[in-house]
Amino acid sequence: MTAALYSYRRCPYAMRARMALAYSGIAVEIREISLREKPASLLAISPKGTVPVLQNDGLVIEQSYDIMKWALKQSDPDCWLTAETEAVIDEWVAKNDGPFKKLLDQYKYPDRYPDISLEETLSQATASFLGPINEQLTKGTYLLGSKVSLADIAIFPFVRQFAMVNPDWIDQSGLDSLKQWLNQHLESPLFLSVMQKYPTWHDPTQE
C-alpha cells in the first residue's frame, strides 16, 4: 500500500514534509485537502484536522517534523540527519516552530494582533531568529556548514513565508547571507518538485 500524505500546498509544515518524503524517495499519494471541507478519512485518523498527516498501513504520523525524521530513517542518502547533528538540528527547529512561528503569525496576520506593531514584530524576529540564521550562514552555505541538513529544510518554508509578506523587506534588511540561502532553496529542484499543484482530493467514502 502506498503511503498517503494529507497535505495543503501552501502550508509550510506540509511543504517540509513533502520535501523530506521526496528526498527520501518514498512513494506517497499526495491528498490535497480543502481547509473548509476536510475529508472524513483525515478526521478519522487525526481529529485535530491539521496537515500534514502521513498514513502508511497502520502507521499515522501527525506532526510534520516527525514525518521528516521518519522519512530520513527510511533513506537519507546525503546524511541530512546524523546522531552527531540531531541535537543541534532539534534546537534550531524548536526555535523555528516555537517563538519564530508565533512572530510569523503576528507579522502575516497583523489584524489579529492590533496591540503589536509590525515594526516591533519585525525587530523581534530579526533579533531572535533571522539575524542569528544570517550570522550562522556567514560561516557556511548552510546552517550546519557546507552541506544541507534537515535543519535547512525544516526551517526554510517558514522563512519563505515570512519574506513573502513584504517582498522588499529582505532586500533592505542587510541579511545578505539569509537572502542567498533563501533564494537557493526557492530555486532548488527539490522544492520546485513538491510545489506542483494537485487537484483537491475527494474522499471516495463521502461520494
Side-chain angles (χ1 to χ4, degrees):
M1 176 182 175
T2 300
L5 182 75
Y6 291 91
S7 180
Y8 182 66
R9 181 175 177 270
R10 294 183 294 171
C11 169
Y13 294 103
M15 282 180 198
R16 70 185 188 183
R18 296 197 304 270
M19 290 178 76
L21 290 164
Y23 158 76
S24 297
I26 296 171
V28 61
E29 175 192 3
I30 302 295
R31 296 180 175 178
E32 179 76 8
I33 71 161
S34 166
L35 298 180
R36 295 181 179 179
E37 193 174 350
K38 297 172 183 177
S41 58
L42 167 62
L43 297 175
I45 62 170
S46 182
K48 66 186 179 66
T50 60
V51 293
V53 175
L54 179 74
Q55 184 177 24
N56 185 36
D57 292 329
L59 177 69
V60 174
I61 307 178
E62 299 182 83
Q63 300 297 331
S64 61
Y65 191 44
D66 292 338
I67 293 171
M68 297 181 83
K69 284 191 168 183
W70 175 85
L72 268 58
K73 286 181 180 178
Q74 316 310 307
S75 176
D76 186 5
D78 296 327
C79 297
W80 280 8
L81 179 67
T82 67
E84 292 73 26
T85 61
E86 186 167 14
V88 68
I89 291 173
D90 286 348
E91 186 176 344
W92 274 110
V93 176
K95 291 176 182 177
N96 177 82
D97 292 11
F100 180 66
K101 180 57 168 63
K102 181 178 180 180
L103 292 168
L104 170 59
D105 289 343
Q106 291 175 193
Y107 190 57
K108 188 176 181 182
Y109 307 108
D111 292 347
R112 300 180 186 176
Y113 304 90
D115 297 331
I116 304 174
S117 70
L118 282 176
E119 292 76 14
E120 181 181 350
T121 298
L122 185 56
S123 177
Q124 289 183 12
T126 301
S128 66
F129 195 64
L130 299 173
I133 289 179
N134 186 76
E135 177 64 25
Q136 186 70 16
L137 292 171
T138 63
K139 305 171 186 176
T141 307
Y142 302 101
L143 285 171
L144 269 62
S146 60
K147 290 179 58 179
V148 67
S149 75
L150 182 60
D152 299 285
I153 305 302
I155 290 171
F156 149 70
F158 298 85
V159 177
R160 168 188 177 271
Q161 194 172 72
F162 193 95
M164 287 177 63
V165 175
N166 177 4
D168 295 329
W169 162 76
I170 198 165
D171 291 328
Q172 302 164 358
S173 68
L175 302 176
D176 295 337
S177 296
L178 178 71
K179 178 182 177 181
Q180 183 177 351
W181 173 85
L182 177 61
N183 287 338
Q184 186 171 348
H185 286 293
L186 288 171
E187 296 166 2
S188 73
L190 177 60
F191 174 66
L192 295 174
S193 73
V194 305
M195 289 304 289
Q196 61 180 294
K197 293 184 178 180
Y198 290 88
T200 301
W201 183 77
H202 295 287
D203 189 341
T205 63
Q206 292 181 276
E207 296 178 353

